[in-house]
Amino acid sequence: MTREISPNRKGAYYGGTALVIFGVLLFASTFVTFAAGFGDSHHFAPGPSSMMLRPLVGMGFIVVGGILRSIGARGLAGSGVLLDPSQARKDLEPYTRMAGGMLQDALEETDLTKAKGDAEPVVMIKCRACGKLNEEDSKFCQECGKAL
Ligand SMILES: [Zn+2]
């Protein structure tokens, strides 16, 4: 079983990313030129319809680029282009491993897993005045302010 993503898929992924970026820029440029008020529409596509055409073409690039990225990341079968469950699993394997690894990294950042992994028991001091449980190293009660 291959654990690495093939160069073809990497190419599709980065090519797709470039298309998305290009599409976003094209889409955004419509509003920039519109706001700036200059009609340099003839640079891209001649005719009065270019103002309408540009965001459409930009969106087309974003959609096609997004599909390419998804195919690159998940493989042809993994992204649902080919209906082949066993191939899909193989295609998705490096991707899910990557996603799982990133999730693990993110979880390790949080106190949630840190607290879970901590074998040390939490020691609390009970306030003699009000009975509130306070942290071990606190000098005064959180509830009533009395010295512990
Ligand atoms: Zn207290």
Side-chain angles (χ1 to χ4, degrees), residues 92-108:
L92 279 171
E93 214 259 335
Y95 182 73
T96 45
R97 262 173 9 105
M98 175 188 80
M102 288 196 300
L103 189 69
Q104 191 62 41
D105 286 348
L107 280 175
E108 274 164 15

Side-chain angles (χ1 to χ4, degrees), residues 127-132 134 140-146 148:
C127 173
R128 271 165 291 180
C130 69
K132 161 100 181 161
N134 290 280
F140 299 96
C141 176
Q142 281 185 317
E143 193 70 30
C144 64
K146 279 221 173 186
L148 295 167

Side-chain angles (χ1 to χ4, degrees), residues 70-101:
S70 140
I71 291 171
R74 295 174 182 87
L76 275 175
S79 55
V81 176
L82 294 173
L83 191 61
D84 186 347
S86 63
Q87 182 63 36
R89 237 189 113 196
K90 212 167 113 184
D91 280 355
L92 279 171
E93 214 259 335
Y95 182 73
T96 45
R97 262 173 9 105
M98 175 188 80

Side-chain angles (χ1 to χ4, degrees), residues 28-52:
S29 77
T30 314
F31 301 103
V32 172
T33 34
F34 185 76
F38 47 135
D40 66 336
S41 50
H42 54 273
H43 282 291
F44 178 69
S49 63
S50 75
M51 272 311 236
M52 292 289 288

Side-chain angles (χ1 to χ4, degrees), residues 103-119:
L103 189 69
Q104 191 62 41
D105 286 348
L107 280 175
E108 274 164 15
E109 296 280 312
T110 65
D111 290 326
L112 198 79
T113 47
K114 213 191 277 172
K116 208 170 71 180
D118 237 340

